[in-house]
């Protein structure tokens, strides 16, 4: 119920409409609208860029992915040569950022344990891949750091249209001595191609680890292997 005369109510309604019109068309309101629109457009553009990046990674062939990743890693090592000399741990950070996202560490960890993976507890299946990832990271990063000034050549790869597995062969061609063959075994996942084994001069990294880990598990169990691996990783991480 209104207690104001009709004439007062009419004037008040007119004023409310004018006030809303003034606020709506004021310079600050216009600026606010422009800023809001800009933020929305920017966020939308970022979403499109992220989705596009994921799509590009998923569409890359194994050969393209290895070539791009290797080139990025070697370039980063050359750019940060002085920093790496002062802080060797920087190599691991670069490999973790550039290389490891393209490794299927979960599959690799399960494979190197073999039959022992099935017997591992849920906690061990969660913790072991983390320790194994650190081992792979340091092994690969150390190897790459030794060949910063060498020429890495990606050899042609034949890939069938519907293939979900691929072998990408590369060569590290040194200024002295024979070339070192390095091969990447990869499989196709929902997130693009992932590396699940590396062979250096014909020796499979995973086969080597599997033999060593199997002996350790037979002696001390999965828990004993994890403790030894964790101790090794901690020791390497603290070394300069």
């Amino acid at each position: 119920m209104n207690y104001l005369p009709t004439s007062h109510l009419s004037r008040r309604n007119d004023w409310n409409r004018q006030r809303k019109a003034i606020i709506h068309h004021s310079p600050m309101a216009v600026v606010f609208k422009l800023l809001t629109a800009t933020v929305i457009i920017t966020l939308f553009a970022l979403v499109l860029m992220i989705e596009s990046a994921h799509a590009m990674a998923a569409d890359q062939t194994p050969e393209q992915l290895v070539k791009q990743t290797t080139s990025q890693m070697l370039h980063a090592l050359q750019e940060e040569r002085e920093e790496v000399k002062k802080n060797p741990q920087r190599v691991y950070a670069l490999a973790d950022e550039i290389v490891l996202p393209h490794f299927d560490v979960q599959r690799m960890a399960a494979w190197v344990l073999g039959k022992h993976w099935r017997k591992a507890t849920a906690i061990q299946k969660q913790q072991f891949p983390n320790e194994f990832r650190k081992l792979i990271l340091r092994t690969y990063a150390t190897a790459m750091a030794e060949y910063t000034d060498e020429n890495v050549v990606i050899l042609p790869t034949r890939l069938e249209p519907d293939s979900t597995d691929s072998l990408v062969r590369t060569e590290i061609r040194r200024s002295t001595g024979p070339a070192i063959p390095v091969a990447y075994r990869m499989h196709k996942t929902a997130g693009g191609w992932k590396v699940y084994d590396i062979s250096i001069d014909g020796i499979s990294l995973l086969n080597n680890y599997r033999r060593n880990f199997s002996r350790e598990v037979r002696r001390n169990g999965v828990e004993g292997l994890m403790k030894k691996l964790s101790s090794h990783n901690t020791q390497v991480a603290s070394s300069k």
Side-chain angles (χ1 to χ4, degrees):
M1 180 177 295
N2 294 314
Y3 293 95
L4 292 174
T6 304
S7 59
H8 286 191
L9 285 172
S10 178
R11 285 196 297 272
R12 188 178 67 179
N13 290 337
D14 290 341
W15 163 243
N16 284 335
R17 284 194 294 270
Q18 293 174 9
R19 180 171 59 85
K20 289 178 181 179
I22 291 170
I23 293 174
H24 184 73
H25 294 291
S26 67
M28 286 303 296
V30 172
V31 170
F32 179 76
K33 287 182 179 180
L34 288 173
L35 287 174
T36 303
T38 302
V39 169
I40 292 173
I41 292 171
T42 302
L43 290 174
F44 183 67
L46 285 173
V47 170
L48 288 178
M49 288 172 63
I50 293 170
E51 290 182 348
S52 175
H54 285 306
M56 287 177 63
D59 290 340
Q60 282 183 312
T61 66
E63 184 179 338
Q64 290 170 340
L65 184 61
V66 170
K67 183 176 182 179
Q68 175 184 303
T69 306
T70 303
S71 177
Q72 287 178 346
M73 185 64 189
L74 290 176
H75 179 72
L77 287 171
Q78 290 168 353
E79 286 289 308
E80 301 197 29
R81 186 191 302 269
E82 295 303 318
E83 177 62 27
V84 169
K85 286 181 180 178
K86 292 185 291 185
N87 177 23
Q89 299 292 326
R90 179 60 183 156
V91 176
Y92 305 143
L94 291 173
D96 193 23
E97 176 187 344
I98 298 170
V99 179
L100 262 291
H102 304 296
F103 278 51
D104 191 344
V105 177
Q106 190 70 24
R107 172 173 173 167
M108 296 168 77
W111 196 88
V112 294
L113 280 186
K115 63 182 181 180
H116 305 296
W117 176 262
R118 295 190 295 273
K119 300 176 183 178
T121 66
I123 294 177
Q124 289 171 340
K125 287 181 178 179
Q126 180 180 4
Q127 293 177 345
F128 178 75
N130 293 333
E131 294 298 334
F132 184 69
R133 183 182 190 278
K134 295 174 186 176
L135 178 64
I136 289 293
L137 170 65
R138 288 174 170 82
T139 301
Y140 183 85
T142 302
M144 289 296 290
E146 292 179 2
Y147 300 116
T148 304
D149 295 323
E150 310 297 345
N151 185 27
V152 179
V153 178
I154 313 296
L155 303 177
T157 301
R158 183 178 179 181
L159 183 68
E160 299 297 331
D162 297 326
S163 178
T164 58
D165 202 87
S166 178
L167 177 66
V168 179
R169 297 175 301 116
T170 72
E171 285 185 351
I172 300 175
R173 295 181 179 174
R174 301 176 292 173
S175 54
T176 58
I180 301 174
V182 179
Y184 300 86
R185 289 202 170 274
M186 307 176 71
H187 71 124
K188 195 172 188 179
T189 71
W193 289 90
K194 301 283 185 181
V195 174
Y196 66 88
D197 192 14
I198 302 174
S199 295
I200 301 175
D201 205 7
I203 300 174
S204 164
L205 198 63
L206 257 63
N207 281 337
N208 187 51
Y209 283 136
R210 183 165 175 156
R211 286 192 296 270
N212 292 332
F213 289 174
S214 182
R215 287 195 294 267
E216 184 64 32
V217 172
R218 285 198 298 269
R219 287 196 296 262
N220 301 305
V222 174
E223 194 64 31
L225 170 64
M226 287 176 56
K227 288 180 180 178
K228 187 171 183 179
L229 193 55
S230 176
S231 176
H232 171 76
N233 287 334
T234 301
Q235 182 180 357
V236 174
S238 61
S239 65
K240 298 296 183 181

